[in-house]
Amino acid sequence: MKTDKLYYGAAYYEEYLPYDRIDKDFMMMNRAGINVIRIGESTWSTWEPVEGEFDFSLLKHMLDKALEYDLSVIVGTPTYAIPSWMAKKYPDILALTHNGQGLYGHRQNMDITNPDYLRHCEIIIRKMMEVIKDYKNVIGIQIDNETKPYDTCTKYAQDKFVKYMQGMYKDIEEMNREFGFNYWSNSIHRWEDFPDVRGTINGSLSAEYKYFQRTLVTDFFEWQKNIIREYIKDNVFITHNFDFGWKGFSFGLQPEVNQHDAAKSLDVAGCDIYHPTRNSLTGREISFCGAIAYSLKKDNYLVLETEAQGFAEWTPYEGQLRLQAYSHLAGGANSVMYWHWFSLHNAIETYWKGVLSHDFSENAVYKEACIVGNELKKYGDKLKNLKVKSEVAILVSNRALSGIDEFPIFGGLTYNDIVRKFYDCFYDINIFCDVLDSKDKESFKNYKLIVCPALYSATEEELNALKEYVKEGGTLVTGFKTGFSDEHLKVYHDTEPHILNEVIGAHYDQFTVPDGVCADNKELSNFMELLTADSADVIYPYENKHYDKYAAVTKNKYNDGFAYYVAANLADKTLTKVLKMALESAKIDLPNATFPVVIKSGINDYQKRITYIFNYSDDDVTLKEGVARGHEILTDKVYNGESVTIPMWSFLVLEEI
């Protein structure tokens, strides 16, 4: 979605303040160049303290004050944290999960299929919409907050699941065959005998229930959107703040939501990206998660949450807040918004610090935010609506993720670990990848190189589309665990990898855990397939006397294209070498810089190429001749390819001349 300006802002919660200071806060925001706040998503018990009794005075106060200080507002529906009276009156709203019955206290603890919950959601949404619909400074509505199915296994959810299965299988015996239910006498011969999914030992059924749970989120968004659209004008957008797979920070594909499906209800995708800082700031999480967000609508997205200070270990070095903000913009974001404006004085997130610390003073982070905000106010017109496009796509799949969850790889290697390894190796050599849903077969033709790591669960339609892609001249890099099972985790019973064995010119029928096995003189870990090259060339054999007849990496010419197969969990340096070979086959040139120098670019509204050159290191870096060319927007300097030094944690923003 195009915006008329870049949005720079923070979440703001007047209801959490220890005293009245909204005028002081909004004046500080004005000085910082902040032009948007995000409110409302955590406030159900404030707006409706007792069932049927509503008090939106604080909401109106924030909206009125925001209007006075020329601040735009994104309002969140407050449906992700239920009030205590609701849990007391309707105890079955609290989700029953694989871990048992939930208790009140946590947020996101409810069954989103519960009819009483949905009825009260509709009431509070409609009441809120009546209050805000005529405010001209409300630019967007955020549906819920980081929504998930919360592993709901209630009778409402499981009844829906049985109907979902009935919709797929008119013949119950066909379902038994497809899911292998005869194993351990798990066959189901009447729909009314369908067992509680929490007890299943069948990985196919377990994964299918996870897939079904993701559809609940998609349906929930569509339901809320239809209510909201009754009240708001066409120029008010609907969004959601998607989060990502978590490893102490935003890391990979979200396992609990099919974001590509859920985003169809939105006008613009939003996201929450949290990442390490200080010496661990690499930009990789910002880049990967931003690429997912951009892919959801194949358009610009909003960063609705990111850290200003956050955890104590995230307190940024000087210059990093500015570097991080522009890193988001370089990926196609049209906003940078902090969670949150001020640090809380009690409750569970007391030490997840905002822009302001607990004393509300003008600290170092605030002062740097002032620099960022006023730069964006001055130069943002050239940086907004950046169109980014890569010649490389990485395919991702929630079904493949669930498949590897159900049948884990030795040593705890996860689907997201594998995907991120491929992405990060590209990132470090300044090749940026679009992140494509594996079902999006129509888009394959738009890329010179497609990479599908660990596409464990894949339909024959998807695999045939990849086969056709290579046949017609594309370059494919596929990795171990690809094409092993169908969409229901039923292992294909012919030559592996299914359908693709002809494309890669190789096959395997055994796999194992490396034990003293190397490839490219580097020891392997976690997993290896004993790949036999048929028509393929062996790039790297296994270096071990027991396995040296097998290949770790192969390359095959198939019709007009090339296919590379990575049969093991390679060391990063070896994988990078393979990816460079694939780039050469695809006729994609390598940039003249590598990490910690990161180069990203896109086309702005004026059809000019904007190039960001970042230094993600604690030392100054000197660029080679020929790298920096263009008009540096923030300093008004012109670079003609001469060598230039970028200070630590800094960057250039170059507009083509």
Side-chain angles (χ1 to χ4, degrees), residues 135-160:
Y135 276 92
K136 291 183 171 28
N137 58 335
V138 173
I139 61 169
I141 307 297
Q142 175 190 299
I143 293 175
D144 205 69
N145 180 81
E146 297 183 344
T147 311
K148 299 175 192 67
Y150 318 124
D151 190 31
T152 179
C153 298
T154 63
K155 66 183 181 66
Y156 302 107
Q158 294 205 51
D159 285 349
K160 282 179 176 288

PDB file of all heavy atoms in Angstrom, residues 135-160:
ATOM      1  N   TYR A 135     -13.277  10.412  13.448  1.00  0.00           N
ATOM      2  CA  TYR A 135     -12.018  11.106  13.713  1.00  0.00           C
ATOM      3  C   TYR A 135     -11.156  11.103  12.447  1.00  0.00           C
ATOM      4  O   TYR A 135     -10.786  10.047  11.938  1.00  0.00           O
ATOM      5  CB  TYR A 135     -11.263  10.435  14.856  1.00  0.00           C
ATOM      6  CG  TYR A 135     -11.713  10.879  16.225  1.00  0.00           C
ATOM      7  CD1 TYR A 135     -12.715  10.182  16.904  1.00  0.00           C
ATOM      8  CD2 TYR A 135     -11.142  11.994  16.837  1.00  0.00           C
ATOM      9  CE1 TYR A 135     -13.129  10.577  18.168  1.00  0.00           C
ATOM     10  CE2 TYR A 135     -11.556  12.404  18.101  1.00  0.00           C
ATOM     11  CZ  TYR A 135     -12.550  11.696  18.759  1.00  0.00           C
ATOM     12  OH  TYR A 135     -12.958  12.099  20.008  1.00  0.00           O
ATOM     13  N   LYS A 136     -10.842  12.297  11.970  1.00  0.00           N
ATOM     14  CA  LYS A 136     -10.077  12.411  10.726  1.00  0.00           C
ATOM     15  C   LYS A 136      -8.619  11.964  10.892  1.00  0.00           C
ATOM     16  O   LYS A 136      -7.937  11.688   9.900  1.00  0.00           O
ATOM     17  CB  LYS A 136     -10.113  13.857  10.208  1.00  0.00           C
ATOM     18  CG  LYS A 136     -11.487  14.291   9.710  1.00  0.00           C
ATOM     19  CD  LYS A 136     -11.439  15.685   9.139  1.00  0.00           C
ATOM     20  CE  LYS A 136     -12.734  16.090   8.439  1.00  0.00           C
ATOM     21  NZ  LYS A 136     -13.936  15.502   8.885  1.00  0.00           N
ATOM     22  N   ASN A 137      -8.112  11.920  12.117  1.00  0.00           N
ATOM     23  CA  ASN A 137      -6.712  11.528  12.315  1.00  0.00           C
ATOM     24  C   ASN A 137      -6.542  10.023  12.502  1.00  0.00           C
ATOM     25  O   ASN A 137      -5.418   9.539  12.640  1.00  0.00           O
ATOM     26  CB  ASN A 137      -6.084  12.283  13.497  1.00  0.00           C
ATOM     27  CG  ASN A 137      -6.823  12.066  14.810  1.00  0.00           C
ATOM     28  OD1 ASN A 137      -8.016  11.767  14.817  1.00  0.00           O
ATOM     29  ND2 ASN A 137      -6.123  12.236  15.913  1.00  0.00           N
ATOM     30  N   VAL A 138      -7.649   9.258  12.497  1.00  0.00           N
ATOM     31  CA  VAL A 138      -7.544   7.804  12.520  1.00  0.00           C
ATOM     32  C   VAL A 138      -7.269   7.340  11.093  1.00  0.00           C
ATOM     33  O   VAL A 138      -8.128   7.439  10.217  1.00  0.00           O
ATOM     34  CB  VAL A 138      -8.820   7.143  13.072  1.00  0.00           C
ATOM     35  CG1 VAL A 138      -8.737   5.625  12.926  1.00  0.00           C
ATOM     36  CG2 VAL A 138      -9.022   7.510  14.537  1.00  0.00           C
ATOM     37  N   ILE A 139      -6.047   6.844  10.869  1.00  0.00           N
ATOM     38  CA  ILE A 139      -5.654   6.442   9.511  1.00  0.00           C
ATOM     39  C   ILE A 139      -5.764   4.940   9.295  1.00  0.00           C
ATOM     40  O   ILE A 139      -5.779   4.478   8.148  1.00  0.00           O
ATOM     41  CB  ILE A 139      -4.215   6.899   9.194  1.00  0.00           C
ATOM     42  CG1 ILE A 139      -3.205   6.261  10.172  1.00  0.00           C
ATOM     43  CG2 ILE A 139      -4.121   8.410   9.182  1.00  0.00           C
ATOM     44  CD1 ILE A 139      -1.759   6.444   9.768  1.00  0.00           C
ATOM     45  N   GLY A 140      -5.814   4.177  10.391  1.00  0.00           N
ATOM     46  CA  GLY A 140      -5.837   2.732  10.230  1.00  0.00           C
ATOM     47  C   GLY A 140      -6.418   2.023  11.431  1.00  0.00           C
ATOM     48  O   GLY A 140      -6.401   2.552  12.548  1.00  0.00           O
ATOM     49  N   ILE A 141      -6.939   0.825  11.169  1.00  0.00           N
ATOM     50  CA  ILE A 141      -7.432  -0.062  12.230  1.00  0.00           C
ATOM     51  C   ILE A 141      -6.591  -1.328  12.202  1.00  0.00           C
ATOM     52  O   ILE A 141      -6.428  -1.963  11.151  1.00  0.00           O
ATOM     53  CB  ILE A 141      -8.911  -0.442  12.025  1.00  0.00           C
ATOM     54  CG1 ILE A 141      -9.783   0.808  11.859  1.00  0.00           C
ATOM     55  CG2 ILE A 141      -9.397  -1.306  13.193  1.00  0.00           C
ATOM     56  CD1 ILE A 141      -9.812   1.722  13.066  1.00  0.00           C
ATOM     57  N   GLN A 142      -6.050  -1.683  13.346  1.00  0.00           N
ATOM     58  CA  GLN A 142      -5.296  -2.929  13.484  1.00  0.00           C
ATOM     59  C   GLN A 142      -6.210  -3.998  14.057  1.00  0.00           C
ATOM     60  O   GLN A 142      -6.762  -3.833  15.140  1.00  0.00           O
ATOM     61  CB  GLN A 142      -4.096  -2.726  14.402  1.00  0.00           C
ATOM     62  CG  GLN A 142      -3.333  -4.007  14.700  1.00  0.00           C
ATOM     63  CD  GLN A 142      -2.306  -3.818  15.785  1.00  0.00           C
ATOM     64  OE1 GLN A 142      -1.377  -3.027  15.642  1.00  0.00           O
ATOM     65  NE2 GLN A 142      -2.471  -4.537  16.901  1.00  0.00           N
ATOM     66  N   ILE A 143      -6.389  -5.091  13.322  1.00  0.00           N
ATOM     67  CA  ILE A 143      -7.179  -6.210  13.826  1.00  0.00           C
ATOM     68  C   ILE A 143      -6.386  -6.955  14.895  1.00  0.00           C
ATOM     69  O   ILE A 143      -5.284  -7.433  14.653  1.00  0.00           O
ATOM     70  CB  ILE A 143      -7.539  -7.180  12.690  1.00  0.00           C
ATOM     71  CG1 ILE A 143      -8.496  -6.521  11.692  1.00  0.00           C
ATOM     72  CG2 ILE A 143      -8.149  -8.463  13.240  1.00  0.00           C
ATOM     73  CD1 ILE A 143      -8.795  -7.382  10.483  1.00  0.00           C
ATOM     74  N   ASP A 144      -6.941  -6.970  16.133  1.00  0.00           N
ATOM     75  CA  ASP A 144      -6.377  -7.790  17.201  1.00  0.00           C
ATOM     76  C   ASP A 144      -4.881  -7.470  17.399  1.00  0.00           C
ATOM     77  O   ASP A 144      -4.459  -6.329  17.178  1.00  0.00           O
ATOM     78  CB  ASP A 144      -6.625  -9.266  16.893  1.00  0.00           C
ATOM     79  CG  ASP A 144      -6.657 -10.176  18.107  1.00  0.00           C
ATOM     80  OD1 ASP A 144      -7.609 -10.068  18.888  1.00  0.00           O
ATOM     81  OD2 ASP A 144      -5.744 -11.000  18.265  1.00  0.00           O
ATOM     82  N   ASN A 145      -4.080  -8.452  17.779  1.00  0.00           N
ATOM     83  CA  ASN A 145      -2.667  -8.212  18.062  1.00  0.00           C
ATOM     84  C   ASN A 145      -1.909  -9.535  18.037  1.00  0.00           C
ATOM     85  O   ASN A 145      -2.209 -10.441  18.824  1.00  0.00           O
ATOM     86  CB  ASN A 145      -2.504  -7.572  19.448  1.00  0.00           C
ATOM     87  CG  ASN A 145      -1.054  -7.299  19.798  1.00  0.00           C
ATOM     88  OD1 ASN A 145      -0.485  -6.300  19.376  1.00  0.00           O
ATOM     89  ND2 ASN A 145      -0.449  -8.182  20.576  1.00  0.00           N
ATOM     90  N   GLU A 146      -0.960  -9.666  17.092  1.00  0.00           N
ATOM     91  CA  GLU A 146      -0.134 -10.877  17.005  1.00  0.00           C
ATOM     92  C   GLU A 146      -0.980 -12.139  17.191  1.00  0.00           C
ATOM     93  O   GLU A 146      -0.649 -13.043  17.967  1.00  0.00           O
ATOM     94  CB  GLU A 146       0.992 -10.828  18.038  1.00  0.00           C
ATOM     95  CG  GLU A 146       1.974  -9.689  17.811  1.00  0.00           C
ATOM     96  CD  GLU A 146       3.148  -9.682  18.788  1.00  0.00           C
ATOM     97  OE1 GLU A 146       3.075 -10.366  19.838  1.00  0.00           O
ATOM     98  OE2 GLU A 146       4.132  -8.977  18.514  1.00  0.00           O
ATOM     99  N   THR A 147      -2.075 -12.197  16.462  1.00  0.00           N
ATOM    100  CA  THR A 147      -3.080 -13.242  16.648  1.00  0.00           C
ATOM    101  C   THR A 147      -2.542 -14.625  16.295  1.00  0.00           C
ATOM    102  O   THR A 147      -1.793 -14.784  15.339  1.00  0.00           O
ATOM    103  CB  THR A 147      -4.302 -12.945  15.773  1.00  0.00           C
ATOM    104  OG1 THR A 147      -4.696 -11.589  15.965  1.00  0.00           O
ATOM    105  CG2 THR A 147      -5.455 -13.869  16.119  1.00  0.00           C
ATOM    106  N   LYS A 148      -2.995 -15.603  17.067  1.00  0.00           N
ATOM    107  CA  LYS A 148      -2.693 -17.015  16.819  1.00  0.00           C
ATOM    108  C   LYS A 148      -3.898 -17.841  17.264  1.00  0.00           C
ATOM    109  O   LYS A 148      -4.799 -17.302  17.907  1.00  0.00           O
ATOM    110  CB  LYS A 148      -1.434 -17.432  17.583  1.00  0.00           C
ATOM    111  CG  LYS A 148      -0.193 -16.645  17.164  1.00  0.00           C
ATOM    112  CD  LYS A 148       1.010 -16.995  18.026  1.00  0.00           C
ATOM    113  CE  LYS A 148       2.134 -15.996  17.785  1.00  0.00           C
ATOM    114  NZ  LYS A 148       1.806 -14.632  18.272  1.00  0.00           N
ATOM    115  N   PRO A 149      -3.914 -19.112  16.974  1.00  0.00           N
ATOM    116  CA  PRO A 149      -5.032 -19.941  17.449  1.00  0.00           C
ATOM    117  C   PRO A 149      -4.890 -20.359  18.906  1.00  0.00           C
ATOM    118  O   PRO A 149      -5.817 -20.942  19.474  1.00  0.00           O
ATOM    119  CB  PRO A 149      -4.985 -21.158  16.523  1.00  0.00           C
ATOM    120  CG  PRO A 149      -3.566 -21.250  16.077  1.00  0.00           C
ATOM    121  CD  PRO A 149      -3.051 -19.838  16.016  1.00  0.00           C
ATOM    122  N   TYR A 150      -3.719 -20.120  19.498  1.00  0.00           N
ATOM    123  CA  TYR A 150      -3.465 -20.410  20.915  1.00  0.00           C
ATOM    124  C   TYR A 150      -3.704 -21.882  21.244  1.00  0.00           C
ATOM    125  O   TYR A 150      -4.138 -22.227  22.341  1.00  0.00           O
ATOM    126  CB  TYR A 150      -4.309 -19.502  21.818  1.00  0.00           C
ATOM    127  CG  TYR A 150      -4.332 -18.075  21.320  1.00  0.00           C
ATOM    128  CD1 TYR A 150      -5.531 -17.425  21.047  1.00  0.00           C
ATOM    129  CD2 TYR A 150      -3.132 -17.403  21.051  1.00  0.00           C
ATOM    130  CE1 TYR A 150      -5.533 -16.136  20.553  1.00  0.00           C
ATOM    131  CE2 TYR A 150      -3.126 -16.111  20.548  1.00  0.00           C
ATOM    132  CZ  TYR A 150      -4.329 -15.482  20.294  1.00  0.00           C
ATOM    133  OH  TYR A 150      -4.332 -14.212  19.775  1.00  0.00           O
ATOM    134  N   ASP A 151      -3.428 -22.740  20.258  1.00  0.00           N
ATOM    135  CA  ASP A 151      -3.560 -24.193  20.422  1.00  0.00           C
ATOM    136  C   ASP A 151      -4.925 -24.576  20.978  1.00  0.00           C
ATOM    137  O   ASP A 151      -5.053 -25.475  21.820  1.00  0.00           O
ATOM    138  CB  ASP A 151      -2.446 -24.746  21.318  1.00  0.00           C
ATOM    139  CG  ASP A 151      -2.421 -26.274  21.312  1.00  0.00           C
ATOM    140  OD1 ASP A 151      -2.779 -26.861  20.276  1.00  0.00           O
ATOM    141  OD2 ASP A 151      -2.067 -26.865  22.346  1.00  0.00           O
ATOM    142  N   THR A 152      -5.964 -23.877  20.542  1.00  0.00           N
ATOM    143  CA  THR A 152      -7.296 -24.204  21.046  1.00  0.00           C
ATOM    144  C   THR A 152      -7.695 -25.614  20.624  1.00  0.00           C
ATOM    145  O   THR A 152      -7.637 -25.980  19.451  1.00  0.00           O
ATOM    146  CB  THR A 152      -8.342 -23.178  20.569  1.00  0.00           C
ATOM    147  OG1 THR A 152      -9.622 -23.568  21.081  1.00  0.00           O
ATOM    148  CG2 THR A 152      -8.402 -23.079  19.060  1.00  0.00           C
ATOM    149  N   CYS A 153      -8.082 -26.405  21.623  1.00  0.00           N
ATOM    150  CA  CYS A 153      -8.548 -27.782  21.394  1.00  0.00           C
ATOM    151  C   CYS A 153      -9.907 -27.988  22.059  1.00  0.00           C
ATOM    152  O   CYS A 153     -10.260 -29.097  22.468  1.00  0.00           O
ATOM    153  CB  CYS A 153      -7.540 -28.789  21.948  1.00  0.00           C
ATOM    154  SG  CYS A 153      -5.916 -28.724  21.180  1.00  0.00           S
ATOM    155  N   THR A 154     -10.670 -26.920  22.187  1.00  0.00           N
ATOM    156  CA  THR A 154     -11.974 -27.000  22.830  1.00  0.00           C
ATOM    157  C   THR A 154     -12.951 -27.782  21.961  1.00  0.00           C
ATOM    158  O   THR A 154     -12.675 -28.081  20.791  1.00  0.00           O
ATOM    159  CB  THR A 154     -12.544 -25.595  23.072  1.00  0.00           C
ATOM    160  OG1 THR A 154     -12.749 -24.971  21.793  1.00  0.00           O
ATOM    161  CG2 THR A 154     -11.582 -24.757  23.910  1.00  0.00           C
ATOM    162  N   LYS A 155     -14.111 -28.054  22.514  1.00  0.00           N
ATOM    163  CA  LYS A 155     -15.127 -28.781  21.741  1.00  0.00           C
ATOM    164  C   LYS A 155     -15.558 -27.975  20.532  1.00  0.00           C
ATOM    165  O   LYS A 155     -15.871 -28.552  19.470  1.00  0.00           O
ATOM    166  CB  LYS A 155     -16.324 -29.121  22.623  1.00  0.00           C
ATOM    167  CG  LYS A 155     -17.137 -27.931  23.134  1.00  0.00           C
ATOM    168  CD  LYS A 155     -18.255 -28.389  24.064  1.00  0.00           C
ATOM    169  CE  LYS A 155     -19.106 -27.237  24.583  1.00  0.00           C
ATOM    170  NZ  LYS A 155     -19.890 -26.559  23.520  1.00  0.00           N
ATOM    171  N   TYR A 156     -15.562 -26.633  20.654  1.00  0.00           N
ATOM    172  CA  TYR A 156     -15.949 -25.813  19.506  1.00  0.00           C
ATOM    173  C   TYR A 156     -14.935 -25.974  18.376  1.00  0.00           C
ATOM    174  O   TYR A 156     -15.298 -26.152  17.215  1.00  0.00           O
ATOM    175  CB  TYR A 156     -16.042 -24.337  19.914  1.00  0.00           C
ATOM    176  CG  TYR A 156     -17.010 -24.066  21.032  1.00  0.00           C
ATOM    177  CD1 TYR A 156     -16.552 -23.752  22.311  1.00  0.00           C
ATOM    178  CD2 TYR A 156     -18.387 -24.142  20.818  1.00  0.00           C
ATOM    179  CE1 TYR A 156     -17.447 -23.504  23.343  1.00  0.00           C
ATOM    180  CE2 TYR A 156     -19.288 -23.896  21.852  1.00  0.00           C
ATOM    181  CZ  TYR A 156     -18.811 -23.582  23.110  1.00  0.00           C
ATOM    182  OH  TYR A 156     -19.691 -23.350  24.130  1.00  0.00           O
ATOM    183  N   ALA A 157     -13.656 -25.919  18.729  1.00  0.00           N
ATOM    184  CA  ALA A 157     -12.606 -26.038  17.725  1.00  0.00           C
ATOM    185  C   ALA A 157     -12.588 -27.446  17.127  1.00  0.00           C
ATOM    186  O   ALA A 157     -12.490 -27.615  15.901  1.00  0.00           O
ATOM    187  CB  ALA A 157     -11.257 -25.695  18.338  1.00  0.00           C
ATOM    188  N   GLN A 158     -12.681 -28.461  17.976  1.00  0.00           N
ATOM    189  CA  GLN A 158     -12.600 -29.832  17.456  1.00  0.00           C
ATOM    190  C   GLN A 158     -13.835 -30.216  16.644  1.00  0.00           C
ATOM    191  O   GLN A 158     -13.728 -30.984  15.677  1.00  0.00           O
ATOM    192  CB  GLN A 158     -12.348 -30.811  18.595  1.00  0.00           C
ATOM    193  CG  GLN A 158     -10.976 -30.615  19.235  1.00  0.00           C
ATOM    194  CD  GLN A 158     -10.453 -31.873  19.905  1.00  0.00           C
ATOM    195  OE1 GLN A 158     -10.442 -32.935  19.294  1.00  0.00           O
ATOM    196  NE2 GLN A 158     -10.010 -31.741  21.147  1.00  0.00           N
ATOM    197  N   ASP A 159     -14.992 -29.675  17.000  1.00  0.00           N
ATOM    198  CA  ASP A 159     -16.180 -29.916  16.172  1.00  0.00           C
ATOM    199  C   ASP A 159     -15.981 -29.310  14.781  1.00  0.00           C
ATOM    200  O   ASP A 159     -16.344 -29.921  13.763  1.00  0.00           O
ATOM    201  CB  ASP A 159     -17.427 -29.319  16.822  1.00  0.00           C
ATOM    202  CG  ASP A 159     -17.925 -30.140  18.004  1.00  0.00           C
ATOM    203  OD1 ASP A 159     -17.436 -31.277  18.193  1.00  0.00           O
ATOM    204  OD2 ASP A 159     -18.791 -29.638  18.755  1.00  0.00           O
ATOM    205  N   LYS A 160     -15.410 -28.122  14.733  1.00  0.00           N
ATOM    206  CA  LYS A 160     -15.115 -27.495  13.449  1.00  0.00           C
ATOM    207  C   LYS A 160     -14.101 -28.328  12.660  1.00  0.00           C
ATOM    208  O   LYS A 160     -14.192 -28.444  11.436  1.00  0.00           O
ATOM    209  CB  LYS A 160     -14.561 -26.082  13.667  1.00  0.00           C
ATOM    210  CG  LYS A 160     -15.597 -25.024  13.997  1.00  0.00           C
ATOM    211  CD  LYS A 160     -14.922 -23.671  14.206  1.00  0.00           C
ATOM    212  CE  LYS A 160     -15.944 -22.573  14.441  1.00  0.00           C
ATOM    213  NZ  LYS A 160     -16.696 -22.228  13.213  1.00  0.00           N
TER     214      LYS A 160
END
